[in-house]
Amino acid sequence: MDPFGKYLKAVSARSTLKEVLKKAQDGGIVSTLFIYALENNILDGVVVADKEDEFLPKPKVATTPEEVIEAAGTKYSVCPNIAEIKKAAREYGCEKIGVVGTPCQIRAVRKAMKYPVGFRGVNIEFLIGIFCMENFPYNGLRVIVEELCGVKMEDVVKLDIGKGKFWVYTRWGETKTVKLKETHPYEQSSCHVCTDYTAELADVSTGSVGSPDGWSTVFIRTVKGKEIFSEAVENGYFEIKSIETVKPGLDLVKKLSLTKKEKNMKEIEHRKELGLPVPVKL
Amino acid sequence: MVKVAHVQLSSCCGCLISLTDTYEKLLEILNSIELVYCQTLIDVREIKECDVALVEGSVCLEDHHALEVAKEVREKAKIVVALGACAAFGGLTRYCKGNQLPKPVNSSFSPLTEVIKVDYSIPGCPPSPEAIYSFIKALLNNDEAYLKPYKLLAEMPEVCGCDLLYKVVNKELCMGCGTCSASCPTRAITMVDGRPVVDPVLCIKCGLCSFQCPRILYPSLLEEIE
Ligand SMILES: Cc1cc2nc3c(=O)[nH]c(=O)nc-3n(C[C@H](O)[C@H](O)[C@H](O)COP(=O)(O)OP(=O)(O)OC[C@H]3O[C@@H](n4cnc5c(N)ncnc54)[C@H](O)[C@@H]3O)c2cc1C
Ligand code: SF4
Ligand code: SF4
Ligand code: SF4
């Protein structure tokens, strides 16, 4: 099985923008690339996942670097980013739209781009995908944070998944964790038929796995992705390390990707046996 | 030259406007097709023999002329395309129930797909110019892989926002991307708790939401990125 999908290059990278690093989940790749693209008129609007009180995710159209930075950081709950792409074109008048999304969302946009039946005048220019093992419905997330970790949602400043644990950081400076195994019952079940870990159809995909803390693993997949990423590097927006020199490197990404694919392929087969529908591939 | 006819049944002409809305791309298409019939644009009274008929609008069953036109299109065209929600699924005309002057008996409207065999259905109210353009190009290039979703749709005249519940949310397939909500022309779909909630009063049965949902159907040609 192919673990990563097509890509031209993989690197380990980190933003050089201090304001981004303060708020970003990992190396700040998503926010920095969007900021670079907005500042250089490559994009005029990007759809990102912002949050309301109590870490409730909410999609938003951002047209300035400040708005991009506000939305940095991972929200471990469903955020229907794609619902806003038409709004970006119609209400914000954006002509070159960027979108960040989980692998399933990137797949959804690719379909809308190739079959734009309900998307008159919606021009999607650039897709950044984030790695994703699973997601949680909001109240699933709430149970994990409040019941399993004993933290009130209103006190959360950052959430993270890594090293086999779910991490909760509070505004009082505390860190709480719970074993990832205990969070499984709260995953959204539609994630269990998903066989894309690294956002295989994005222009650029990024995630934390494979690179050291504060750094990101980046796959540059398309010609457009390569152009924009290389220009951003040349203009000093990123520090880069060869992926072969960092630990744990691509081997771990590969292992996790294959684990997800194999597990979820099994679930798809299982559902077929039960006579349940599964996503139809043509 | 591929001969193309545009036929209008019970519809608003919005699908044809959407087709012409491709601007300079329309000229590109027109270079490779010959428009042999289109009451709005050219002065030809009889439907001509043609390779492709783009038909918009549903069929009023009380209007015998409309029924005859539908039958005639099937005889004269090699490929019949239901262009837009009304021809493909009934669309807004699903809600017609008659009792209006000057023809109070004109009350029953069926999508073209329920009256004759249709080869491709394009959803949307109207379908976007970009989509019509890509469709016609694929047709000219005989790109069967690209056309396949439209072909499948021609077998499914009954669509509704409820499809999202029946086929996706109820089947533990909805992952909350929001594509359905963005595609809806009447903003009938709101994302609540990461799931689509459809306002049935606003739904005009255009078929866009379920067509766009990546969890109902995903053409593998999309895996090819450059
Ligand atoms: C549900 C989920 C599961 C993930 N699982 C993994 C994993 O298993 N392994 C791994 O390596 N990485 C995973 N990630 C990705 C990782 O957490 C970071 O988002 C990624 O590394 C980008 O970090 P950054 O510092 O480059 O981005 P930042 O500059 O911090 O920006 C992050 C961007 O992601 C967007 N975003 C945040 N939450 C969501 C959301 N719920 N839906 C859509 N967009 C969102 C924000 O709008 C922001 O623009 C996951 C992310 C999500 C949302
Ligand atoms: S696991 Fe798959 S379906 Fe679930 S949120 Fe992540 S990318 Fe989407
Ligand atoms: S909910 Fe909207 S997109 Fe879906 S069929 Fe109804 S009108 Fe069309
Ligand atoms: S498009 Fe499909 S998967 Fe996406 S939110 Fe709508 S119903 Fe769910």
Side-chain angles (χ1 to χ4, degrees):
Chain A
M1 220 183 287
D2 172 15
F4 303 138
K6 262 197 210 160
Y7 66 96
L8 304 171
K9 204 173 172 208
V11 294
S12 190
R14 179 171 73 177
S15 173
T16 56
L17 308 178
K18 287 202 183 65
E19 319 80 72
V20 170
L21 287 176
K22 255 186 261 164
K23 274 212 77 186
Q25 189 71 16
D26 299 305
I29 308 303
V30 181
S31 303
T32 306
L33 265 179
F34 276 161
I35 289 172
Y36 173 76
L38 287 174
E39 285 177 349
N40 290 279
N41 205 21
I42 299 165
L43 302 173
D44 54 9
V46 296
V47 180
V48 290
D50 205 347
K51 60 180 189 312
E52 299 188 320
D53 290 346
E54 310 207 350
F55 237 84
L56 179 72
K58 191 169 188 247
K60 162 178 104 173
V61 181
T63 55
T64 64
E66 293 71 36
E67 286 167 341
V68 171
I69 292 174
E70 258 169 35
T74 303
K75 291 92 197 165
Y76 286 99
S77 184
V78 186
C79 190
N81 284 2
I82 314 311
E84 304 293 291
I85 59 175
K86 205 147 107 191
K87 186 168 163 193
R90 298 278 197 286
E91 289 167 39
Y92 289 73
C94 302
E95 289 172 3
K96 293 171 283 188
I97 302 167
V99 183
V100 56
T102 48
C104 57
Q105 298 182 324
I106 297 299
R107 286 179 171 268
V109 190
R110 283 283 177 205
K111 183 174 167 188
M113 287 163 79
K114 196 88 182 173
Y115 294 90
V117 214
F119 294 96
R120 180 188 165 151
V122 180
N123 181 34
I124 311 284
E125 223 10 77
F126 189 47
L127 299 176
I128 306 183
I130 47 185
F131 299 178
C132 177
M133 187 59 88
E134 75 278 306
N135 207 344
F136 304 95
Y138 182 70
N139 276 331
L141 178 68
R142 183 184 283 280
V143 171
I144 295 168
V145 171
E146 300 202 329
E147 315 254 320
L148 305 186
C149 295
V151 173
K152 279 193 195 146
M153 279 308 262
E154 63 196 46
D155 293 337
V156 176
V157 288
K158 182 171 178 174
L159 299 170
D160 200 8
I161 292 179
K163 305 182 180 78
K165 286 182 187 161
F166 191 103
W167 302 72
V168 181
Y169 301 88
T170 73
R171 60 177 159 144
W172 319 113
E174 295 167 299
T175 305
K176 297 281 177 82
T177 64
V178 57
K179 283 203 188 102
L180 215 44
K181 215 169 131 197
E182 290 179 51
T183 67
H184 291 334
Y186 305 103
E187 293 169 0
Q188 70 169 351
S189 61
S190 54
C191 290
H192 298 155
V193 295
C194 170
T195 53
D196 188 344
Y197 178 61
T198 58
E200 295 174 13
L201 304 188
D203 290 305
V204 172
S205 316
T206 183
S208 58
V209 168
S211 292
D213 283 350
W215 287 71
S216 296
T217 301
V218 184
F219 287 105
I220 296 130
R221 299 186 182 278
T222 61
V223 174
K224 195 191 281 169
K226 192 174 165 197
E227 252 171 43
I228 298 177
F229 191 78
S230 320
E231 280 168 26
V233 173
E234 278 162 31
N235 285 291
Y237 283 72
F238 290 112
E239 283 178 76
I240 298 284
K241 285 183 190 169
S242 144
I243 193 77
E244 286 80 25
T245 63
V246 300
K247 290 240 160 2
L250 282 190
D251 282 348
L252 182 62
V253 189
K254 182 171 170 184
K255 187 176 147 222
L256 290 175
S257 176
L258 290 177
T259 307
K260 174 175 180 178
K261 284 177 189 247
E262 278 155 21
K263 182 173 136 269
N264 291 351
M265 289 296 277
K266 260 193 210 145
E267 169 72 11
I268 290 173
E269 288 311 315
H270 179 61
R271 288 194 190 183
K272 280 192 196 158
E273 275 163 31
L274 291 173
L276 293 170
V278 294
V280 178
K281 274 206 175 174
L282 272 188
Chain B
M1 280 299 224
V2 176
K3 289 187 176 152
V4 176
H6 171 266
V7 180
Q8 187 177 5
L9 289 162
S10 291
S11 77
C12 69
C13 207
C15 292
L16 179 65
I17 291 177
S18 198
L19 166 67
T20 56
D21 235 1
T22 47
Y23 293 109
E24 70 276 19
K25 282 182 169 178
L26 176 68
L27 298 176
E28 188 192 318
I29 298 174
L30 282 177
N31 280 336
S32 23
I33 66 173
E34 185 190 344
L35 196 60
V36 294
Y37 176 82
C38 177
Q39 286 197 322
T40 311
L41 299 176
I42 56 177
D43 187 19
V44 174
R45 309 285 166 95
E46 296 278 311
I47 299 176
K48 291 272 161 63
E49 298 274 336
C50 58
D51 299 298
V52 184
L54 302 170
V55 187
E56 65 171 89
S58 60
V59 185
C60 176
L61 301 183
E62 288 94 355
D63 176 355
H64 285 202
H65 178 65
L67 280 167
E68 280 157 24
V69 171
K71 293 260 149 44
E72 195 183 343
V73 170
R74 187 61 275 184
E75 280 160 24
K76 296 211 166 140
K78 292 197 189 100
I79 296 169
V80 176
V81 180
L83 179 63
C86 298
F89 322 115
L92 207 62
T93 65
R94 284 282 189 199
Y95 297 100
C96 292
K97 53 181 178 38
N99 200 29
Q100 296 203 333
L101 291 170
K103 296 266 186 193
V105 296
N106 285 11
S107 61
S108 319
F109 292 77
S110 287
L112 183 72
T113 40
E114 289 178 348
V115 175
I116 59 167
K117 163 98 178 69
V118 166
D119 301 291
Y120 300 101
S121 279
I122 307 183
C125 188
S128 75
E130 298 91 334
I132 299 176
Y133 168 79
S134 306
F135 175 84
I136 293 179
K137 272 202 83 163
L139 211 55
L140 294 174
N141 295 333
N142 226 337
D143 185 350
E144 280 174 33
Y146 183 81
L147 296 171
K148 196 141 184 207
Y150 296 117
K151 189 170 196 133
L152 289 177
L153 220 55
E155 310 286 320
M156 300 197 290
E158 286 167 31
V159 301
C160 178
C162 297
D163 293 350
L164 300 176
L165 302 181
Y166 303 156
K167 296 183 178 175
V168 199
V169 179
N170 294 171
K171 299 295 188 293
E172 57 176 332
L173 291 173
C174 177
M175 40 60 184
C177 61
T179 315
C180 50
S181 169
S183 64
C184 180
T186 63
R187 302 192 191 204
I189 307 172
T190 317
M191 297 302 293
V192 179
D193 296 332
R195 294 291 179 268
V197 173
V198 180
D199 184 342
V201 175
L202 293 178
C203 175
I204 54 166
K205 300 187 192 289
C206 74
L208 276 178
C209 51
S210 53
F211 177 80
Q212 288 296 3
C213 174
R215 283 299 176 92
I216 294 183
L217 191 144
Y218 205 79
S220 26
L221 61 95
L222 297 168
E223 311 268 348
E224 295 304 316
I225 52 168
E226 279 167 21

